[in-house]
Amino acid sequence: MIGKDELVEKIEETELEKSQRKRDAWEKHIYLEDNKVLIVGYSEEESFNETNPGEETVRNYYWYWEVRDSGSWEVLFDNHDKDYSFCESNVGGYTDQDRVEDIVGDIEEEDVCTWSEQDWIEDISENIAEEVIEWLEPIKNN
């Protein structure tokens, strides 16, 4: 079975790709032994706020992960609890921080998204690895 350190490294180093299944989601597909695939990704939370041109908007995203059978694509385990989330601020169509600052002044995204602490996969990769290993241990012991 894969060790925690190796799994953390794979979670951090595997490239994110646009999800084909969800609207605004990005995923990493990490193939494990015994025909299992770990999917780690983030998805935009449903928003009911209207976006007005030129105004600042904040988009909320949450991290999720699941273990699937790589042949049938059946979900074996999943965590979509939205315990780990982050946000991005956006002004008009500009998401690049320098362009946003040109329009609204010198702001830091942290000032807008004050609760956002899991922007990077490195912020949560150990937690994901620990949970996935817990999921896989009973299967491996059978």
Side-chain angles (χ1 to χ4, degrees), residues 26-43:
W26 293 79
E27 297 179 336
K28 299 173 178 244
H29 292 215
I30 302 164
Y31 288 87
L32 307 170
E33 52 202 39
D34 299 327
N35 299 319
K36 308 283 184 291
V37 62
L38 169 62
I39 298 171
V40 177
Y42 64 86
S43 181

Side-chain angles (χ1 to χ4, degrees), residues 16 24-27 40-44 61-64 86 88:
L16 281 165
D24 191 8
W26 293 79
E27 297 179 336
V40 177
Y42 64 86
S43 181
E44 183 180 8
Y61 296 88
Y62 71 92
W63 289 100
Y64 62 89
F86 63 96
E88 292 182 352

Side-chain angles (χ1 to χ4, degrees), residues 65-104:
W65 51 96
E66 51 195 34
V67 173
R68 292 177 174 256
D69 180 286
S70 61
S72 68
W73 215 242
E74 173 189 2
V75 176
L76 304 173
F77 305 96
D78 69 350
N79 184 328
H80 289 262
D81 294 342
K82 300 182 182 181
D83 290 337
Y84 300 104
S85 54
F86 63 96
C87 66
E88 292 182 352
S89 61
N90 179 319
V91 175
Y94 300 110
T95 55
D96 178 67
Q97 190 64 26
D98 293 333
R99 291 293 294 139
V100 170
E101 288 177 0
D102 287 348
I103 295 169
V104 298

